[in-house]
Amino acid sequence: MMKRREFLIGSATALASGRAWGKRPDRAKLNRVGIMTVCFDSVLKTPSAPPDPKRTVEIMDFADMIAQRYGVHRLEFQHTDFFSTEPGYFQEFRRRIKKAKSQVNQLSLEFANLNISATDPVIRLEAIELTRSWIDHAVELECPRVMLNQGTLAPEVRQSAIETLKTMNAYAKTKNVFITMEPRWREDAKNVPWDVFVDVIKASGIRCNPDSGNFPDDASRAAALPIMYGMTAGSSHVKEIPGKFRAADGIRISKEAGYTGFYVIEARANNGPDPYVAVQSILDIMLANI
Amino acid sequence: MMEPPDQARLDRIAVMSVCFAPLLKGTARAGNPKATLDLMDLAGMVADRYGIHRVEFQQVDFPSADPAYFREFRSRVQKADSQVNQINLDFANLNVSSPDLTIRLETIELTKRWIDHAAGLDCARVMVSHGGLAPAVRQSAIETLKTMNAYGKTKNVSVAVDPANAPWETVVEVVKAAGIGVNPDCGNFPDKESRAAALPVLYRMTAGSSRVQHIPNKFDTAAAIKMANEVGYKGVFSIETSSRNSPDPHAPVKAILDILLANM
């Protein structure tokens, strides 16, 4: 359960942002906003995090906390957030989500050492099997999307990666769950060009999860996002990267592309040390620009 | 005239796919380009050649985990009047001894998938890798095995572990605590003393199957089978050879089969 102190901090944040003095946030706009658990990496209790008094948020309480603090009822989880995959655990989890009148927007799957770009067919089969399990869990949680990590998509594995995605997608369709991937870019990594990424999505029949922050420069972002916003499963990620990229620009591009889906907030350490404030700041940008 | 082998004894014998690794094609990793035996035909070949109707597979043998593939595979096994004795699961980087809960959960999830596949193939057992069972992770490994076993029970599929790569007493302790079975392998001991001490205990804790290897310079296979007999073991003996035994994969299988038929 959320502690009273956290609630008061949240109220103070709302006051500081000016929301408490102005008109109530537009419910229709809030309904298009989601929040990722990764925003709260520093305070969330997760299976991989050692016990730490700074970690005060239980995954079971996450939906309540987000609904009360921000009025947001869409949530996005990493598969690594969950402490169990047993039916009883997911039943209780689903009950807590419903209690907060919320919905699981997407599950992000980041399997250790298993992804569609593996050169070993056995590893790709394990990735398929584990993805199928999580598609089943998505169904248990009434979640319409799972997002995969595409790995390298290097030329020599690209075709087998596409076939692997097709197999996963065929299963997902039987469960009314979308499979998505997001463009990824890191300075220290071998990155897949965005147009290659788009080709893989088209060839495999899956969907794109545009992430406005994951581009090396404005030119590639401006070229890619209009295409990607036309290939979604109804959801996207929004980042604000000070000095590099403004979330408002990404939202503008999406609107120009006719996107009417969800915007899910992905705040990171570069948005400030307090995750609650960081999320609020991006939420304010979104409410002003959606 | 030679007497035909005793069918009751043959019915207690299985052959592992690894025995024929150099000949197998149609597997996930494709294998030798000169391979001649399709994985789909393995049960038929083992039945025709040896009169054995139990075949044991590795999960990494299968090139697909799609229902249609397994339906066809099952029909080919049934056509040979055979049965899948056990599927051995050895997931890349995943096992019950991981200190990371997320990895253990992924191991559980994949094991459940393969328990479902085993049930679909009318296979009564899966064997999982125990991953070392170091003291620091032993209790969480036991809990992980319990979770797998609880699911296995709902599908009438037993979960077993191989006593290799950990002190056998530790494996016994973990198997008892988790309520699973052990898959004794007479070849997987460092010395005669540990084999003699362990096998009588292990043969009483099986999920109905065990492994038989033949490594003449290391141990006496016939003596190991006699140990199983002495403790009243009534389960399956599954033949395990490797390419190190002979350039012809059939010869070492036949050698172990002859030892089994003479000593069961």
Side-chain angles (χ1 to χ4, degrees), chain B residues 142-156:
Chain B
I142 289 168
E143 297 307 320
T144 305
L145 288 166
K146 280 183 181 174
T147 303
M148 293 171 172
N149 196 39
Y151 187 78
K153 282 183 175 173
T154 68
K155 306 282 177 172
N156 290 320

Side-chain angles (χ1 to χ4, degrees), chain B residues 111-252:
Chain B
T111 302
K112 285 179 173 176
R113 297 287 306 179
W114 280 95
I115 287 169
D116 289 346
H117 299 323
L121 292 172
D122 300 325
C123 165
R125 303 166 200 90
V126 296
M127 193 181 85
V128 302
S129 165
H130 61 60
L133 302 172
V137 298
R138 199 167 297 157
Q139 192 53 43
S140 56
I142 289 168
E143 297 307 320
T144 305
L145 288 166
K146 280 183 181 174
T147 303
M148 293 171 172
N149 196 39
Y151 187 78
K153 282 183 175 173
T154 68
K155 306 282 177 172
N156 290 320
V157 173
S158 300
V159 174
V161 293
D162 186 331
N165 305 319
W168 70 269
E169 299 92 335
T170 299
V171 175
V172 165
E173 174 200 325
V174 167
V175 163
K176 281 182 181 169
I180 62 169
V182 73
N183 189 85
D185 184 331
C186 59
N188 286 352
F189 294 93
D191 50 52
K192 279 183 185 172
E193 291 71 30
S194 60
R195 181 177 296 103
L199 280 180
V201 177
L202 299 176
Y203 277 121
R204 290 188 175 99
M205 302 173 66
T206 74
S209 192
S210 65
R211 295 262 176 85
V212 180
Q213 295 189 65
H214 183 48
I215 311 172
N217 59 354
K218 193 176 158 198
F219 72 98
D220 180 347
T221 303
I225 297 163
K226 283 175 186 158
M227 277 187 219
N229 295 338
E230 283 164 13
V231 298
Y233 176 68
K234 304 283 185 208
V236 175
F237 293 100
S238 192
I239 295 172
E240 178 180 2
T241 64
S242 75
S243 52
R244 72 170 181 264
N245 291 91
S246 164
D248 169 13
H250 288 288

Side-chain angles (χ1 to χ4, degrees), chain A residues 79 86 120 129 132 137, chain B residues 28-29 66 106 109 112 117:
Chain A
H79 91 285
E86 294 304 297
D120 183 344
E129 288 289 85
R132 285 173 170 164
H137 296 321
Chain B
R29 288 181 175 133
D66 287 339
E106 290 180 5
E109 292 290 283
K112 285 179 173 176
H117 299 323

